[in-house]
Amino acid sequence: MYGYLTQTAIESLRKKIEDEYRGIYLALGFKQIAPMPLITTDDITLEFTNCTICAAKPFLVNGMVGEDYILVQPAIRTKNYNFVHTSDQNTRYSTCFTMIGGFKFLDCRETLRRSFDLIVWSEALFLRHLFKTSEIILTIPVQYEEFLPLSLHMQEKLGSIDVLIKKTKCDANNLKWKYGIRGIVGYGTRWEIGDTNGLVNWGNTIALFDDGKPVGIDFGGGVETLLQAYFQLKHCIFANDYLRNQELADLIDSPESIKWVDALIASTVIWREIKRLSYLPIRIKYILDKYVNAAVALSIVMEHSILQMQHYIELIFKDVCYENCEKEFVAMFFNRHAELRRLSTSPKVKECLSRNDTRFYENSYLHRLTQYERCAILELISTK
């Protein structure tokens, strides 16, 4: 899937991207802060830190103005576990990723006008410097234009570096954010980069309001998305925080293999973060199980042997945790493998799966199985 690319080449560009982005905002007086923990123990609206605004939420909740900041934030977006369970061929985005971005605090409309121009211009310059000839599009939803005061002067400046401004009517909930904070709503733009595979949605610049008063600008996007667009790949790239081993990278040659690595990485990262907690939230255990199940099912579909599966689990664990794999972690995968193998020995399961009898699914354990889990059972049946 990566072809000539090596993890070393990916990491080299990643470092350049993060350094240049930080440099732009540090020069503007933003403070660089440490990343937030991946599991959010103080934010009941999230299980995982999923973007760079999380550091600003305590200030917004209390109506306070903090220091403008910039950071490189590891993040998890668990809606991806629906994607790793189905045959959907969209493999643009991964569950675990790195976001570069920050937050600028505001106190009035005039500050918003000046600051919005400043942030948009900074983002545009960064993208144009990285993508010399690629199409760069800034989408502004017309129904939210009053909240996104991009000046005519700035629109002309963006045109001078070939950034296209596209004003369009979006769906009601598209480019509008709620953060689980009473009164706070965000209206945003979308940055897209053109490559040979179409447009890549990189990130957003979002103006936040508290009961109509501007309180901040949330901005940034995904590092891995930039890597993917730069190398003109149709599928997501896993940066070295999650995948350092070239042996595993070389196995990425299909949508299924990407989903398999994604599920393995997500399982390992969540496991690592759980180990740092004094308790295990039920919701997070549920999400971990979903990714473990996906990784096992995809491993079977890809016809990995038991020894191969254990080998790959140990490689991922070492990449993510920088230590040898824990037996308890491996056991989770093999317990799930045993459950699927047990189902594959049932004559009724075999009959219903082979006939694709959905009526039976609805009234049995099988209705809880994902598409890939059913495929895995059929694979186990065929190899008996």
Side-chain angles (χ1 to χ4, degrees):
M1 186 68 68
Y2 290 177
Y4 64 91
L5 284 179
T6 64
Q7 289 304 109
T8 302
I10 290 170
E11 184 61 14
S12 176
L13 179 59
R14 175 196 167 173
K15 185 177 185 307
K16 175 186 174 184
I17 287 170
E18 293 178 3
D19 287 348
E20 289 187 4
Y21 193 84
R22 268 191 296 249
I24 289 171
Y25 286 98
L26 290 175
L28 293 173
F30 284 67
K31 176 184 177 182
Q32 181 174 343
I33 64 171
M36 301 283 287
L38 266 175
I39 294 181
T40 56
T41 55
D42 298 326
D43 187 344
I44 63 171
T45 67
L46 295 171
E47 287 95 16
F48 302 99
T49 297
N50 64 359
C51 59
T52 52
I53 195 178
C54 293
K57 290 177 78 171
F59 294 94
L60 297 174
V61 166
N62 293 293
M64 299 167 59
V65 175
E67 288 187 87
D68 302 336
Y69 67 79
I70 186 79
L71 79 160
V72 177
Q73 176 67 58
I76 295 178
R77 291 190 179 169
T78 53
K79 65 181 181 181
N80 221 48
Y81 67 53
N82 295 320
F83 140 77
V84 297
H85 281 297
T86 70
S87 59
D88 183 350
Q89 298 296 292
N90 177 12
T91 51
R92 283 283 198 181
Y93 307 102
S94 56
T95 301
C96 298
F97 65 100
T98 309
M99 188 170 178
I100 48 174
F103 195 84
K104 181 164 184 60
F105 290 90
L106 303 173
D107 54 11
C108 66
R109 285 267 177 182
E110 188 56 39
T111 309
L112 171 61
R113 293 189 186 95
R114 294 194 307 269
S115 299
F116 196 74
D117 274 7
L118 177 68
I119 300 298
V120 167
W121 180 243
S122 301
E123 301 284 274
L125 281 180
F126 164 74
L127 291 173
R128 179 51 73 205
H129 186 254
L130 183 61
F131 298 95
K132 307 291 187 190
T133 59
S134 298
E135 184 179 26
I136 297 174
I137 299 174
L138 175 64
T139 295
I140 300 176
V142 292
Q143 67 266 48
Y144 306 141
E145 201 169 354
E146 64 178 294
F147 303 107
L148 304 167
L150 193 65
S151 70
L152 289 175
H153 173 64
M154 181 52 59
Q155 293 179 45
E156 292 171 359
K157 284 185 70 175
L158 292 173
S160 72
I161 60 171
D162 294 324
V163 171
L164 174 65
I165 298 174
K166 183 169 71 174
K167 297 185 180 181
T168 184
K169 187 170 177 62
C170 298
D171 295 337
N173 292 318
N174 196 4
L175 298 178
K176 182 179 179 181
W177 282 261
K178 295 181 180 178
Y179 300 92
I181 305 172
R182 183 184 297 274
I184 299 288
V185 62
Y187 303 97
T189 65
R190 178 171 58 239
W191 292 97
E192 293 174 296
I193 305 158
D195 64 16
T196 55
N197 300 296
L199 291 173
V200 180
N201 180 358
W202 172 62
N204 308 95
T205 305
I206 306 164
L208 275 74
F209 294 80
D210 184 353
D211 291 330
K213 175 189 173 184
V215 292
I217 300 174
D218 174 25
F219 59 91
V223 173
E224 288 82 0
T225 308
L226 292 176
L227 293 169
Q228 176 196 130
Y230 186 89
F231 290 120
Q232 302 281 299
L233 294 176
K234 185 178 180 180
H235 305 283
C236 64
I237 282 181
F238 300 101
N240 288 35
D241 275 355
Y242 312 110
L243 181 62
R244 292 179 286 120
N245 188 283
Q246 195 61 44
E247 179 185 349
L248 278 172
D250 289 341
L251 291 172
I252 298 175
D253 60 2
S254 67
E256 284 72 28
S257 62
I258 286 180
K259 295 177 183 191
W260 165 65
V261 172
D262 190 346
L264 274 180
I265 289 172
S267 302
T268 313
V269 171
I270 295 170
W271 173 269
R272 180 193 67 192
E273 296 304 310
I274 284 173
K275 285 293 188 177
R276 297 172 180 172
L277 297 178
S278 57
Y279 68 100
L280 176 56
I282 294 174
R283 174 68 179 168
I284 291 177
K285 176 62 167 64
Y286 168 79
I287 292 170
L288 172 62
D289 288 344
K290 294 278 281 186
Y291 278 110
V292 169
N293 293 350
V296 171
L298 285 159
S299 193
I300 293 170
V301 168
M302 294 169 64
E303 301 182 4
H304 295 158
S305 68
I306 294 291
L307 287 177
Q308 284 177 314
M309 191 165 84
Q310 180 168 348
H311 176 61
Y312 298 143
I313 291 169
E314 290 172 350
L315 288 181
I316 283 284
F317 195 92
K318 199 158 191 175
D319 276 2
V320 171
C321 300
Y322 292 87
E323 60 186 38
N324 292 328
C325 194
E326 298 174 23
K327 291 180 180 179
E328 188 182 355
F329 181 73
V330 177
M332 286 193 306
F333 291 87
F334 284 98
N335 288 341
R336 183 56 182 165
H337 191 282
E339 289 175 20
L340 293 177
R341 185 168 290 281
R342 178 181 55 79
L343 284 171
S344 73
T345 64
S346 164
K348 194 163 187 178
V349 168
K350 180 179 178 179
E351 177 188 358
C352 291
L353 285 178
S354 61
R355 291 188 310 168
N356 197 25
D357 189 341
T358 55
R359 289 172 301 174
F360 181 78
Y361 294 162
E362 293 168 2
N363 298 295
S364 74
Y365 173 80
L366 289 185
H367 85 278
R368 298 199 300 270
L369 295 177
T370 65
Q371 184 176 355
Y372 279 122
E373 285 172 324
R374 292 171 187 168
C375 291
I377 292 171
L378 285 172
E379 176 64 30
L380 290 169
I381 291 170
S382 70
T383 55
K384 287 187 184 302

